[in-house]
Amino acid sequence: MKRSVTAGRLLTAATTLTLLAGTIAATAVPAVAAPAPSPAPPSALAAAVSAADRAAAAGLDALAKGPDETYERQSVTPWVGGLYSVAYERTYKGLPVVGGDAVVLADAQGQVRGSQSAAAARIGSATSARISAQKAEKTARTKLAVVDSVESRRLVVRVKDGDSGRLAWETVLSGSNGGAPSRLHVFVDATTGEVIDSYDDVRAGTLNSKWNGPSPTISTTGSGSSY
């Protein structure tokens, strides 16, 4: 004799089998907690930068500094062989130290390979200006024949020739000198009002064309050590 099986009984049977299978599996195999995922290893760049930052903060070797000095990271440049050059600007009591830049060379394993600072002496400058920024700008303007604009001015510590630094107003002038374009940085002592240093971002130079020989003459603009 045939018996009819309703959909409700089929559903109940399926549910019972599912629960039974789950019970058997749980009994046969003890539950094991999934291992916590291990943290991802730091990237080569992060390892190098971290090592360089620690060296700068500690004042390692050439980065020796006083208690009021800090190094602030500015840029990171990849080199060959997994090396990274990390550039820093120096500050003294919050003031930029012009001439106190530093570079740390670190590798992808987080090891410092070398360091170099433009200024070895500790900074010991005053931080209160006696000369106003306006007066310093007026003095700075005398160093450029034609001044088109004043791009910026700021209070800095100027370090040069191994000294401990002098508080100065750095004024950046845009214009021309002797018919040539100029972007002149002028440093006026913030205590005495005298010009203690200056340099121009624009420099003239000559070069020979690779293909046309020495005859052609072109105007050039200096950018760092190249044109």
Side-chain angles (χ1 to χ4, degrees), residues 94-123:
L95 294 176
V97 178
V98 179
D101 300 348
V103 175
V104 178
L105 193 65
D107 61 25
Q109 286 71 46
Q111 299 295 321
V112 174
R113 296 293 191 89
S115 61
Q116 187 172 6
S117 176
R122 293 186 175 184
I123 308 302

Side-chain angles (χ1 to χ4, degrees), residues 31-56:
V32 178
S38 56
S43 68
L45 174 62
V49 170
S50 179
D53 283 350
R54 291 195 302 270

Side-chain angles (χ1 to χ4, degrees), residues 25-211:
T27 303
V29 180
V32 178
S38 56
S43 68
L45 174 62
V49 170
S50 179
D53 283 350
R54 291 195 302 270
L60 179 69
D61 298 334
L63 306 175
K65 57 187 178 61
D68 296 317
E69 300 171 56
T70 60
Y71 287 103
E72 297 181 357
R73 176 165 26 97
Q74 300 300 309
S75 63
V76 180
T77 304
W79 278 26
V80 297
L83 296 176
Y84 295 85
S85 174
V86 187
Y88 296 86
E89 283 188 358
R90 199 172 186 173
T91 65
Y92 173 72
K93 294 185 178 180
L95 294 176
V97 178
V98 179
D101 300 348
V103 175
V104 178
L105 193 65
D107 61 25
Q109 286 71 46
Q111 299 295 321
V112 174
R113 296 293 191 89
S115 61
Q116 187 172 6
S117 176
R122 293 186 175 184
I123 308 302
S125 170
T127 56
S128 298
R130 295 182 182 178
I131 302 298
S132 68
Q134 293 79 6
K135 187 174 181 178
E137 179 187 319
K138 184 178 180 180
T139 301
R141 283 174 171 269
T142 65
K143 303 297 290 182
L144 190 61
V146 178
V147 177
D148 295 328
S149 64
V150 178
E151 292 189 14
S152 64
R153 60 188 185 192
R154 61 175 181 166
L155 193 61
V156 302
V157 176
R158 178 61 167 135
V159 176
K160 190 177 181 182
D161 300 329
D163 62 18
S164 60
R166 296 173 68 175
L167 187 67
W169 287 104
E170 179 189 12
T171 304
V172 181
L173 306 172
S174 178
S176 59
N177 202 12
S182 175
R183 187 174 184 270
L184 188 66
H185 296 248
V186 183
F187 297 87
V188 176
D189 192 301
T191 301
T192 65
E194 65 176 324
V195 175
I196 58 176
D197 193 22
S198 66
Y199 69 87
D200 203 325
D201 288 332
V202 181
R203 299 181 183 180
T206 58
L207 64 131
N208 293 332
S209 168
K210 180 177 180 180
W211 305 110

